[in-house]
Amino acid sequence: MLSPYLALLLFFGMAPVLYALGLSFMDTIDWVFWGFTNYQFVLQDFRLIESITNVFQYVAIWLTMMLVGIGALSLMLDALPDRSATVLRTSFFLPGAITSSAIVILWLFLLDPAVSPYGSLFEALGWENRQQVVSHMGYPMVFSLMAYLAYSGGWIVVIGGALKGISTEVIEASRVDGANQFQIAIRIKLPMVWRSLALMAILSFANGIQMFVEPQLMALAGRQYSRPDWSVNQLAFQYAFNLGDFGASAAMSTMLLAAAIFISLCVVFGTRFYKMD
Amino acid sequence: MNAGRRHLTWNARVGWTAVWLCLIFAFFFYATPIVWLLLAAFRDEPMLFSSGPFSLGSIEMFRATLHNLTTYNDFQIGRWALNSAIYTIGGVSLSLVAVLPAGFVLATYEFTFRKAILVLTLVAMITPNTVVALPIFLQMQAFGLNNSYLGMIIATAFFPFGVYLAYIYYATSLPGGLIDSALIDGASRFQVFTRVALPLSKPLIALVAFFSFLANWSNYFLAFVLLTKDELYSLPIGLAVLVSSSGALGNDVASDIPINKPEAIVAALLVIAPVLLLFLISQKYVRSGTLSGAEKG
Amino acid sequence: MKLRSLMITAATAVLAAGVAKAEPVKLTVWSDTARIEPFKAFDAAHDNIELEIVTVAPPDQTAKLQLAMRSGDDVPDAIFMAELQQIAQLSTRRSNYLMDISDKIDQSVVDSFLPNALSPCQSGDGRLLCLRNDLAHFIAWYNKPKFDELGLSVPTTWEEFEEIGKLAAENGLIVGSGTQPTPVLNMLIAGGCEPGFLVEGSDDTIRVDFTSEGCIAAAAMVDRMRENGSLSPHGPFEPSFVTDVQEGKLLMFNGPTWFGEHVMRPLYKMDAGILAASESLKWKGQAQPQAWSWGGGVFGGYRDTEHPDEVVELIRWMTTDTGLQGRATTMPAHAESSSVWRDRVANDPWYAQNDVYDKMETSAQYGHPSYGGYRFDIMAAFSKIDGASNASIVDKLPDYAAEIENSAKVAGYKIAN
């Protein structure tokens, strides 16, 4: 029963990663083994420290937004009558379906007080033009908002689905015991969907430290906002796709992946995620 | 719940007010961009720049935009949409076949490599595209699968996130007692899956199918790596080509082709439309399939 | 199966019959959307060559080529490069795509381009790697009725430009954008800043110098003009800037040759009879202007193509066919085509004067001989430093230099002292 999936996992999951690991020890033009040269090269990149700092600031903001925002909104929606919940959930989800080319245009306008639908908010804060908005919010915040708008809706749907999976009997029982809605949400519902929340935290963190899309999109919004080396993963991309150095790229991204795997496994085994109850 | 509201305590009333305030705020936060896009579709480029965010354009402007979009290269965008539909339908179907039984087995049976497979699946989910772009390209090339419908479908059928959705669903929502009794009755694992688990999986199938659909429909990366023929392009890659080389984004691309920001916005709305439709359908199943009373214990 | 073998038989028969006629050579080309029609025109004009046109988003092109070159299959025989950095990125040891066409293109063809047009295609060590499609050097665009109204004469030097800026500021007008990278970058380079020009005779040593007197003077001028508001704090494509222009506040703009046709008209919606152009500006002490450029695409070929002759013919024809280039979107780099293209702007009553093309053409000779692309994104270096603080441009000059030197080293360049 597992075999179709295992075949795909082998071909598209493991083989490429192993191949990349191999590449990271090679000179990819003359195909000679040259040990840790690629690693040395990327670790000496003058932008590395800065991009690591950037990424951690971003992850801190983004992860908080995701956990608090999605957790709270999902629980609130679950307590609502079905019809209003569906309307709201749909509205939360839709921004995530906007294609990347349109996202650029969208943010081009959202961040410009002169034409932004949030313009009055910016005015109230005294931010007069796009440059001021970006510099006051800071790139980590701007990118977090971009990513939150794109991904949170999907997770609200997933967590919402998990909440629907909780049997009504459990909830009825606690209601009989005198628990109010708030207590039910925090004490009964939240613990029962912890697996989904944990998965969200793991994936958000792992994808967060590999963030790439947001600054790339921002660059398309105008040369002024072009930051092609803002995140670590962007550096890895540059090595391979601008300079043609796939070995250096592989070295950078395998280190990044290793960090992501390490943190994820800490969470997974720390929470006994795979335990069968 | 409505019946109970009449007797709400003061505390509860404050609580509900706070909840609704939060939700209304969230609604504005999320809905504003979509509303803006919808309105922007009815404006032309100079108007986008110079008039207020919610000002109204005209139907004529929308028509002109739509005309520019559909006449581009003999309605090439239609071809891309068709391709996207083929890739997506194929990818979703194949991913369901692979994902559901895998999630079921991983959630309900203990075996030697169970944890290893779960860990590797997680690793696959968090592997950046930068790492796998070249290997996947070379692998598919070796099998002659790039620039083909089959290649795209197989590549998009790999959906580790779906495996986790299925794993979590079966691990949390499937009563262990049901499986045990079915096994005692002499059913094979496969039979347990098809006869016991699948009928209870409506919400899961809706969820996995929807997310697989979304992933495939908006997939840029695989199409970017695997396709180098215009007639095979999917919508996201086609639109990126169209938009980025026609001055719709940068303004510093000089071109006589009438593709600009309004065209990109209308294209985006065309891409969102099917997502919205499928979302509403899948939500119906997610809600209707609650496992009432089937919890173990 | 049967059908297939039938088809094969039929195909063999056709082949056998057509032996006398040479089978057309098949070339794959990668194009942006604007170049699809020109490629089709080439296909139609050449019986012996058949093109397969693949449309690729310009920002994706280098990345897609890197993948294709790793496997050796599906590498296009020729490409259009909308971004000049691709010339540098695609001619290194690690990504060696571009064909050296120095020996394959006649000197007469090279000479048929406008002055300085081919400089982005010439590598530091003297190889010719591409031919230029269009020119995009900076000229001085101005608002004719406003100039007449204020009784101003059109400036020819940056010193006069600053004076006009002062007057503009007093009247609530603007004379350009004071944002990095492009609008300000042009002013800095015109003054003599050297943000990494290839050292003569070398393909990987660049010179970075922001300390010359002219460079500092240019930066100080930008600072003063940002201070008094004559250079807008908004980028030329930001809504606030567009609104200002639509309200008639733009007195002057130092912009590339395509700005009139592709920005002023469609985006700024400028009325007829307003826009006029003048030659690129120079500093008083300079013998002639040094105009930077903004854009201008090139065609290049694959060094390992199976059909080098056809590829060279393609590159030559696409850039020099007068019938094609004469009706191009932007100012052709090829001299004769350019003078045919002249009609597009010269006879257009939308412009306030009919000498716009002539100003573009005379300014071509002022095009900076070091204009071209680098393996790294030099514009991004400017944007990054500029976004980092509100310090004056003069104070930021050393930071620009440091950022560029560091980026250049990562990209494999050496820095000349």
Side-chain angles (χ1 to χ4, degrees):
Chain A
M1 285 171 78
L2 268 173
S3 49
Y5 173 69
L6 279 185
L8 290 170
L9 178 64
L10 210 66
F11 195 77
F12 292 107
M14 293 166 63
V17 173
L18 291 177
Y19 184 92
L21 187 64
L23 275 188
S24 71
F25 298 105
M26 306 280 286
D27 172 60
T28 50
I29 292 298
D30 296 333
W31 294 110
V32 289
F33 178 83
W34 60 1
F36 287 95
T37 317
N38 286 327
Y39 289 87
Q40 265 172 351
F41 173 72
V42 301
L43 288 174
Q44 280 167 0
D45 192 313
F46 77 106
R47 301 162 297 184
L48 186 61
I49 304 287
E50 198 184 333
S51 57
I52 291 176
T53 322
N54 287 339
V55 167
F56 272 102
Q57 286 174 346
Y58 162 80
V59 169
I61 299 174
W62 189 50
L63 205 56
T64 318
M65 283 167 83
M66 291 289 275
L67 283 172
V68 175
I70 292 169
L73 288 176
S74 311
L75 287 172
M76 288 177 189
L77 286 184
D78 197 53
L80 293 187
D82 272 351
R83 189 160 298 178
S84 24
T86 306
V87 171
L88 286 171
R89 195 174 290 129
T90 311
S91 77
F92 294 170
F93 169 74
L94 275 184
I98 305 173
T99 42
S100 59
S101 39
I103 285 182
V104 182
I105 299 179
L106 183 64
W107 283 96
L108 200 70
F109 284 87
L110 286 188
L111 292 175
D112 196 310
V115 288
S116 171
Y118 304 120
S120 40
L121 181 70
F122 295 143
E123 256 167 53
L125 291 162
W127 302 346
E128 284 161 12
N129 57 44
R130 199 190 288 164
Q131 211 157 21
Q132 284 185 2
V133 172
V134 173
S135 67
H136 277 113
M137 284 215 271
Y139 279 97
M141 187 69 187
V142 172
F143 295 149
S144 299
L145 278 174
M146 287 172 85
Y148 180 79
L149 198 65
Y151 300 116
S152 60
W155 278 108
I156 289 175
V157 173
V158 172
I159 310 280
L163 285 167
K164 284 290 170 214
I166 300 174
S167 100
T168 38
E169 280 172 18
V170 178
I171 297 187
E172 274 313 309
S174 48
R175 187 166 292 153
V176 170
D177 291 345
N180 64 28
Q181 286 276 2
F182 182 73
Q183 287 165 328
I184 293 175
I186 298 295
R187 293 194 200 146
I188 312 291
K189 289 181 179 173
L190 208 52
M192 290 201 70
V193 296
W194 72 270
R195 264 208 180 91
S196 302
L197 283 171
L199 180 64
M200 182 188 89
I202 294 169
L203 291 186
S204 300
F205 181 86
N207 291 328
I209 65 172
Q210 298 164 0
M211 67 96 70
F212 172 76
V213 179
E214 288 76 19
Q216 293 290 109
L217 287 181
M218 193 74 186
L220 293 176
R223 292 276 195 190
Q224 253 176 299
Y225 308 100
S226 167
R227 295 292 180 276
D229 45 17
W230 198 84
S231 78
V232 184
N233 203 6
Q234 280 181 296
L235 296 182
F237 181 87
Q238 273 194 8
Y239 297 141
F241 293 109
N242 289 350
L243 303 178
D245 194 340
F246 283 88
S249 175
M252 184 67 107
S253 34
T254 35
M255 284 192 285
L256 204 54
L257 181 59
I261 293 175
F262 175 75
I263 304 277
S264 310
L265 292 188
C266 286
V267 177
V268 160
F269 290 108
T271 59
R272 301 162 69 80
F273 191 82
Y274 295 143
K275 191 176 154 282
M276 296 177 40
D277 10 53
Chain B
M1 189 165 59
N2 280 339
R5 258 208 202 161
R6 262 174 254 142
H7 319 289
L8 284 181
T9 62
W10 192 77
N11 263 347
R13 235 172 253 163
V14 172
W16 275 107
T17 315
V19 164
W20 275 107
L21 281 178
C22 284
L23 287 173
I24 288 168
F25 172 79
F27 176 75
F28 277 109
F29 173 76
Y30 284 100
T32 305
I34 296 288
V35 173
W36 183 85
L37 275 182
L38 275 175
L39 291 176
F42 289 89
R43 287 187 267 171
D44 62 6
E45 176 121 347
M47 216 184 147
L48 276 178
F49 277 89
S50 54
S51 54
F54 294 118
S55 60
L56 273 175
S58 64
I59 298 284
E60 282 69 46
M61 288 179 182
F62 176 72
R63 253 194 228 135
T65 305
L66 202 61
H67 175 80
N68 289 341
L69 205 54
T70 48
T71 49
Y72 170 76
N73 225 354
D74 304 328
F75 195 48
Q76 200 174 26
I77 190 171
R79 177 69 197 252
W80 295 334
L82 180 70
N83 288 339
S84 264
I86 296 173
Y87 298 139
T88 305
I89 292 170
V92 170
S93 322
L94 212 55
S95 69
L96 280 177
V97 171
V99 155
L100 294 177
F104 172 75
V105 172
L106 290 168
T108 51
Y109 296 103
E110 189 68 71
F111 57 96
T112 327
F113 292 114
R114 182 178 156 272
K115 267 187 192 166
I117 294 174
L118 281 166
V119 169
L120 288 173
T121 302
L122 187 69
V123 170
M125 263 189 281
I126 60 178
T127 306
N129 288 339
T130 329
V131 176
V132 295
L134 179 64
I136 287 189
F137 175 78
L138 293 176
Q139 280 175 311
M140 296 299 265
Q141 184 100 13
F143 287 86
L145 282 172
N146 52 5
N147 280 323
S148 73
Y149 286 101
L150 186 65
M152 273 295 284
I153 290 173
I154 294 177
T156 48
F158 177 56
F159 190 46
F161 182 61
V163 172
Y164 265 68
L165 285 180
Y167 164 74
I168 292 176
Y169 181 84
Y170 288 126
T172 338
S173 311
L174 202 62
L178 271 180
I179 298 173
D180 293 342
S181 55
L183 283 175
I184 291 165
D185 290 346
S188 73
R189 275 173 196 190
F190 189 68
Q191 284 168 329
V192 176
F193 173 66
T194 51
R195 291 186 199 159
V196 182
L198 266 191
L200 290 171
S201 308
K202 243 194 217 165
L204 173 72
I205 294 173
L207 208 60
V208 174
F210 174 71
F211 278 102
S212 170
F213 164 81
L214 187 63
N216 287 336
W217 184 249
S218 58
N219 188 310
Y220 185 87
F221 167 70
L222 282 169
F224 166 78
V225 170
L226 296 180
L227 304 177
T228 43
K229 282 197 184 346
D230 277 18
E231 64 269 23
L232 288 173
Y233 278 179
S234 64
L235 261 185
I237 204 99
L239 288 180
V241 165
L242 180 65
V243 165
S244 71
S245 55
S246 327
L249 294 182
N251 284 98
D252 53 357
V253 184
S255 161
D256 286 338
I257 298 168
I259 299 290
N260 283 300
K261 293 190 177 61
E263 283 76 16
I265 288 168
V266 171
L269 291 175
L270 294 178
V271 175
I272 296 178
V275 178
L276 175 63
L277 191 73
L278 267 141
F279 178 76
L280 292 175
I281 296 173
S282 73
Q283 278 297 294
K284 221 170 173 178
Y285 284 101
V286 171
R287 268 182 298 132
S288 69
T290 310
L291 293 175
S292 44
E295 194 75 13
K296 72 175 159 184
Chain C
M1 260 308 160
K2 241 184 202 165
L3 183 70
R4 205 172 147 199
S5 55
L6 251 178
M7 277 166 66
I8 292 172
T9 328
T12 340
V14 170
L15 274 180
V19 168
K21 248 198 219 163
E23 187 73 355
V25 167
K26 273 201 175 162
L27 297 181
T28 307
V29 293
W30 285 5
S31 167
D32 67 351
T33 50
R35 251 45 64 173
I36 296 176
E37 287 307 322
F39 274 126
K40 281 184 182 163
F42 173 86
D43 202 349
H46 292 75
D47 291 338
N48 58 331
I49 303 175
E50 201 181 306
L51 290 189
E52 188 190 330
I53 305 165
V54 180
T55 333
V56 175
D60 286 352
Q61 181 157 278
T62 307
K64 254 183 117 72
L65 269 176
Q66 303 284 11
L67 286 177
M69 282 191 290
R70 282 315 112 154
S71 76
D73 290 341
D74 284 340
V75 185
D77 297 291
I79 54 173
F80 174 75
M81 291 171 267
E83 294 172 1
L84 294 184
Q85 2 177 28
Q86 293 178 5
I87 304 169
Q89 286 171 348
L90 295 173
S91 57
T92 65
R93 182 182 88 94
R94 291 199 173 278
S95 56
N96 207 347
Y97 172 84
L98 286 173
M99 181 198 286
D100 176 5
I101 53 174
S102 321
D103 303 334
K104 300 186 171 76
I105 294 283
D106 285 344
Q107 189 57 35
S108 62
V109 174
V110 172
D111 293 340
S112 72
F113 283 83
L114 284 167
N116 294 314
L118 292 183
S119 53
C121 291
Q122 267 138 358
S123 71
D125 52 8
R127 289 170 298 154
L128 185 66
L129 297 170
C130 53
L131 291 182
R132 187 94 175 264
N133 179 65
D134 55 329
L135 288 186
H137 48 281
F138 278 80
I139 56 172
W141 297 99
Y142 66 96
N143 182 329
K144 178 112 195 328
K146 273 263 152 57
F147 261 73
D148 293 345
E149 187 189 317
L150 297 169
L152 298 169
S153 54
V154 182
T156 55
T157 65
W158 290 102
E159 284 89 348
E160 290 164 17
F161 172 70
E162 189 181 354
E163 286 306 311
I164 285 182
K166 263 184 211 154
L167 233 144
E170 284 161 19
N171 289 287
L173 303 173
I174 51 175
V175 292
S177 164
T179 55
Q180 287 283 28
T182 328
V184 169
L185 185 58
N186 170 49
M187 299 181 209
L188 295 182
I189 292 174
C193 300
E194 298 195 356
F197 296 149
L198 279 174
V199 170
E200 202 140 324
S202 158
D203 203 23
D204 59 358
T205 308
I206 61 170
R207 199 170 54 228
V208 180
D209 185 5
F210 285 90
T211 56
S212 67
E213 208 176 303
C215 175
I216 294 170
M221 178 194 78
V222 175
D223 282 332
R224 287 191 298 273
M225 295 185 74
R226 296 214 293 192
E227 183 72 27
N228 70 19
S230 53
L231 287 180
S232 163
H234 309 290
F237 304 125
E238 285 185 29
S240 312
F241 193 91
V242 176
T243 314
D244 281 350
V245 181
Q246 288 179 353
E247 286 169 4
K249 288 186 188 161
L250 190 68
L251 179 63
M252 210 181 152
F253 191 94
N254 290 293
T257 51
W258 46 269
F259 232 71
E261 286 293 280
H262 298 284
V263 179
M264 300 277 189
R265 198 198 304 243
L267 181 64
Y268 296 169
K269 286 274 177 224
M270 211 171 253
D271 289 331
I274 291 182
L275 191 65
S278 177
E279 288 175 20
S280 326
L281 303 181
K282 66 176 189 111
W283 287 86
K284 261 185 192 147
Q286 288 172 336
Q288 66 167 49
Q290 298 191 78
W292 198 240
S293 294
W294 185 353
V298 298
F299 288 90
Y302 180 36
R303 67 202 318 269
D304 295 329
T305 175
E306 285 168 24
H307 312 286
D309 295 340
E310 285 79 5
V311 166
V312 170
E313 167 62 9
L314 173 91
I315 297 171
R316 191 196 61 76
W317 193 88
M318 295 297 287
T319 48
T320 61
D321 183 76
T322 309
L324 174 76
Q325 284 287 349
R327 52 187 168 81
T329 305
T330 43
M331 180 183 180
H334 182 240
E336 194 190 329
S337 307
S338 204
S339 57
V340 174
W341 182 82
R342 174 182 197 278
D343 291 346
R344 175 166 173 155
V345 285
N347 297 334
D348 189 340
W350 180 75
Y351 292 98
Q353 286 178 176
N354 62 5
D355 62 351
V356 169
Y357 171 79
D358 305 323
K359 303 295 180 189
M360 291 180 183
E361 198 197 290
T362 26
S363 298
Q365 60 185 302
Y366 309 137
H368 202 291
S370 292
Y371 178 63
Y374 298 87
R375 296 174 208 163
F376 61 100
D377 190 346
I378 211 162
M379 306 262 228
F382 279 97
S383 308
K384 183 176 169 187
I385 298 299
D386 221 53
S389 79
N390 287 326
S392 69
I393 304 264
V394 172
D395 289 343
K396 279 179 189 160
L397 291 177
D399 300 338
Y400 292 142
E403 179 72 22
I404 290 171
E405 283 181 13
N406 284 328
S407 308
K409 280 181 205 151
V410 175
Y413 285 107
K414 294 189 214 51
I415 311 293
N417 295 316

